[in-house]
Amino acid sequence: MLQIKLCGISLKNPTILASGILGVTKESVHRIGKSGAGAVTLKSLCHEERDGFSNPAMFGYDGVFLNAVGLPGQGIDSAIKDFGRLDNLSVPVIGSIYGYRVEQFGQVAKKMASLKPAMIEVDVSCPHMDYGKPYYADPELTAKVTGAVKANAGRIPVSIKLSPNVYDIKEIAHSAEKSGADAITAINAASGMVIDISARKPILANKIGGVTGPALKPIAVRCVYEIYETVKIPIIGTGGVTYGKDAIEMVMAGATAVGIGTGIYYRGISVFKKVCDEMMQWMKKNKVKSLNEIRGCAHK
Amino acid sequence: MPNNEIKKTDIPQVLEISDVVGEGKEQKSFFFKQSLQCRPGQFIMVWIPGLDEKPMAVSYWSRNEFAFTSKAIGKFTNALEKLKKGDKVGIRGPYGSSFSIKSNACVVGGGVGMASVSTLIDVLKNPIVINGARSKEYLIYLDRFKSKKMIVATDDGSFGRKGFVTQVLNGVLTENKKIKMVYTCGQEIMMKKVLGVCNRHNVECEASLERYMACGFGICGKCMINDKLCCVDGPIFNSKQLMSMPDFGNFAMLKSGRKVTIEEYHKIH
């Protein structure tokens, strides 16, 4: 009932662990697979080892979740030793990558491709920049990064993860598709800040971070809706999906699959199974046999 | 469909330090006049605004007051040591699993590891407490637990028995066959040895583990010990869990997520 095809990959259900939450080790991938996710995205890796920012790096309240972890990671070379390969784990794995410079995106993509992930996701939201502004904020820069990754990924499909912190996400998505992207992951966190009025300081060590959780959902739904009108490639709708109804809403906006990250915070690691059960309940009640019937229906 | 889970809150609450008490060399307890729903072995996240946030075991607990005990080791704990009554820090939690409460128990604490088992000692019925440290000046809670059956040991013999807590434990378990449970917190290498002693005597063990953490509530994945999350599955693990974790006493992940030996981990974090 929930089975989908994403860029030729069969997923038992459309829920995908979003990058940045758990997904750090082989053992955590297995654990999330066992808890019902259709696929698992690894925490983003780049060409070097990074500690990330100090704490507080994340906190949540009232349906709002903030994080500024600063892209910590062991680096792609160390991860290669750790994981060995990614195509023989209990669940399809999406390898998330980034670099500081365009060439590094290509180099990391090549190394990631050697692990044989089901898909490569590209985090173009990295704050390190070659051209004065981040890669996600400019159609030409997004095209350059997409091209560099595609040239090194071989047959492995590539999804570009877009940021909502732009004037027009449609032109960025269009540019990624034109440069060969096989899918779009939308969206990354929205930029935000929380100040503790007693401490009179921003809570996050990095001061500015990304807003996720239910607060992000309307922004994500709007972005998926706009991207669906612009491109033909599939969309992994990510941002605030916590309940089955949120996943249905994403599909109605045009998503093929849904990313779940902060949802784990609210509902535990079993959130994947819970969301799937709730989706099926809704489908039965509304006599919907397959997600294809409702995909993008909000546009009609 | 359910919709109440999004009300969850994990944001630091900024509190004034109501008292600071020196416990032993480089070790201090920080008190807060605030009620906290907490079980023995759980931890809180302590935020020094503008600096960093770290997990700390709740070491004193009563209806309207709690405290944590910190040893000045790194940048964060050295900044903590300078804080005084009236200064403010952010607190969130408590987090994590707790000790089971069993009778006929022995509690083994090494150095500031005593902090994680102290609220447990408060609630246990007639426990045998083994309180060990490198040397006399590093021992904590000697007065606090003077009414308990406490065996004190120091590595250099400057106070109490000379030797390691594991040797004392071995003696206690050999003499006292009634003991059914050993609780422990201290250096992980020490706790691994404690588990070994318990296994030889066929006695159940629970240990409080420590890992680098960012969130404390099972999201960031930085504190993974094999397939377990130290923050939500732990920090208290039982014998069966400890023996199913090859990383226990051997490996830990750095802030970056790279796995290193436990010795290397302690040099950095």
Side-chain angles (χ1 to χ4, degrees), chain A residues 39-252:
Chain A
V40 170
T41 313
L42 300 184
K43 192 157 172 58
S44 302
L45 293 159
C46 74
H47 53 283
E48 64 176 10
E49 181 178 359
R50 278 174 59 89
D51 275 351
F53 301 139
S54 291
N55 292 339
M58 50 182 78
F59 58 86
Y61 67 99
D62 296 350
V64 182
F65 195 90
L66 267 92
N67 87 83
V69 289
L71 289 162
Q74 59 179 326
I76 186 71
D77 294 320
S78 175
I80 285 174
K81 280 184 230 151
D82 234 29
F83 283 96
R85 53 196 283 190
L86 296 169
D87 59 340
N88 60 353
L89 302 182
S90 49
V91 61
V93 176
I94 301 171
S96 177
I97 59 149
Y98 69 99
Y100 302 167
R101 313 173 66 87
V102 172
E103 313 85 75
Q104 287 166 341
F105 276 91
Q107 288 155 8
V108 181
K110 192 167 196 166
K111 288 179 178 176
M112 179 57 83
S114 74
L115 287 171
K116 302 197 185 327
M119 186 182 248
I120 291 176
E121 186 173 277
V122 188
D123 180 7
V124 288
S125 311
C126 176
H128 298 270
M129 48 201 93
D130 258 359
Y131 302 92
K133 58 177 163 178
Y135 296 109
Y136 65 79
D138 181 278
E140 274 179 41
L141 296 179
T142 301
K144 276 186 183 160
V145 170
T146 307
V149 172
K150 277 301 285 180
N152 287 284
R155 286 183 185 173
I156 295 166
V158 171
S159 183
I160 307 296
K161 185 169 185 176
L162 301 186
S163 165
N165 308 321
V166 294
Y167 170 65
D168 183 5
I169 200 165
K170 299 190 295 292
E171 60 169 5
I172 312 283
H174 180 67
S175 173
E177 182 184 46
K178 221 174 54 187
S179 314
D182 302 285
I184 297 287
T185 305
I187 51 178
N188 211 317
S191 188
M193 177 187 281
V194 172
I195 295 167
D196 184 283
I197 60 168
S198 180
R200 305 182 180 199
K201 280 192 167 66
I203 297 176
L204 289 171
N206 190 54
K207 299 180 178 72
I208 294 173
V211 178
T212 62
L216 184 63
K217 200 187 71 174
I219 301 171
V221 170
R222 184 267 299 171
C223 289
V224 169
Y225 187 95
E226 288 192 324
I227 294 165
Y228 186 76
E229 291 196 329
T230 312
V231 303
K232 292 196 169 59
I233 51 179
I235 304 161
I236 303 172
T238 306
V241 175
T242 316
Y243 299 97
K245 61 187 166 72
D246 304 327
I248 297 285
E249 187 181 353
M250 278 291 185
V251 174
M252 287 182 173

Side-chain angles (χ1 to χ4, degrees), chain A residues 58-60 65-66 264-265, chain B residues 8-11 43 45 92 95-96 213-220 223 229 231-232:
Chain A
M58 50 182 78
F59 58 86
F65 195 90
L66 267 92
I264 295 180
Y265 168 66
Chain B
K8 244 180 112 169
T9 287
D10 288 286
I11 190 166
F43 67 94
M45 294 295 285
R92 58 184 176 90
Y95 296 116
M213 287 177 192
C215 67
F217 43 69
I219 291 292
C220 71
C223 70
L229 285 157
C231 64
V232 290

Side-chain angles (χ1 to χ4, degrees), chain A residues 262-275:
Chain A
T262 308
I264 295 180
Y265 168 66
Y266 294 102
R267 306 188 74 189
I269 217 164
S270 57
V271 63
F272 301 99
K273 188 178 183 304
K274 287 175 184 166
V275 165

Side-chain angles (χ1 to χ4, degrees), chain B:
Chain B
M1 284 183 189
N3 208 357
N4 50 3
E5 284 139 331
I6 59 168
K7 286 182 183 154
K8 244 180 112 169
T9 287
D10 288 286
I11 190 166
Q13 189 187 356
V14 174
L15 300 175
E16 219 172 77
I17 297 168
S18 61
D19 203 5
V20 180
V21 174
E23 300 280 13
K25 194 179 177 187
E26 295 155 5
Q27 295 160 96
K28 283 179 181 173
S29 292
F30 300 84
F31 286 80
F32 302 88
K33 290 250 182 290
Q34 172 86 24
S35 69
L36 183 79
Q37 291 273 330
C38 181
R39 297 186 306 273
Q42 288 193 296
F43 67 94
I44 48 176
M45 294 295 285
V46 179
W47 173 44
I48 303 179
L51 183 69
D52 209 336
E53 187 188 44
K54 299 272 180 197
M56 292 281 163
V58 176
S59 61
Y60 288 84
W61 184 88
S62 63
R63 259 171 88 92
N64 299 310
E65 192 181 44
F66 70 91
F68 64 87
T69 305
S70 161
K71 184 175 179 186
I73 300 169
K75 195 171 147 194
F76 180 82
T77 45
N78 273 301
L80 264 182
E81 212 204 7
K82 291 183 184 72
L83 295 182
K84 293 185 174 58
K85 183 179 170 177
D87 287 341
K88 289 172 179 175
V89 295
I91 303 285
R92 58 184 176 90
Y95 296 116
S97 63
S98 54
F99 289 108
S100 64
I101 311 292
K102 297 271 168 67
S103 46
N104 297 319
C106 178
V107 184
V108 183
V112 75
M114 276 296 288
S116 298
V117 291
S118 56
T119 58
L120 173 75
I121 295 169
D122 285 337
V123 298
L124 286 176
K125 211 177 137 192
N126 305 321
I128 295 174
V129 178
I130 302 173
N131 184 354
R134 256 190 292 166
S135 59
K136 188 184 172 185
E137 64 268 31
Y138 288 99
L139 286 163
I140 60 172
Y141 305 153
L142 291 184
D143 273 351
R144 179 180 177 183
F145 295 130
K146 65 182 173 209
S147 66
K148 307 278 177 191
K149 193 172 177 193
M150 182 160 64
I151 305 166
V152 179
T154 48
D155 299 355
D156 62 2
S158 52
F159 194 86
R161 295 189 196 175
K162 184 179 188 318
F164 298 121
V165 288
T166 40
Q167 296 164 332
V168 178
L169 176 67
N170 192 44
V172 167
L173 295 183
T174 307
E175 285 164 28
N176 195 334
K177 297 292 177 200
K178 273 190 189 161
I179 290 174
K180 293 280 181 309
M181 172 65 90
V182 170
Y183 303 100
T184 186
C185 185
Q187 292 257 0
E188 198 157 307
I189 310 265
M190 176 209 103
M191 291 193 283
K192 200 185 176 189
K193 286 179 182 158
V194 166
L195 177 68
V197 173
C198 290
N199 286 345
R200 279 200 297 282
H201 290 270
N202 211 7
V203 172
E204 181 67 12
C205 177
E206 288 181 5
S208 174
L209 272 48
E210 181 273 338
R211 286 294 184 275
Y212 183 84
M213 287 177 192
C215 67
F217 43 69
I219 291 292
C220 71
K222 281 176 182 273
C223 70
M224 291 214 70
I225 312 174
N226 301 109
D227 69 337
K228 301 281 191 298
L229 285 157
C230 189
C231 64
V232 290
D233 301 319
I236 312 305
F237 293 100
N238 62 32
S239 300
K240 198 181 158 196
Q241 291 171 317
L242 294 167
M243 283 185 284
S244 74
M245 303 191 299
D247 284 3
F248 171 59
N250 297 309
F251 299 101
M253 281 199 291
L254 297 176
K255 198 176 172 185
S256 70
R258 182 162 60 90
K259 202 190 262 192
V260 295
T261 63
I262 201 96
E263 291 87 355
E264 198 178 332
Y265 169 82
H266 283 303
K267 267 182 221 155
I268 296 167
H269 290 303

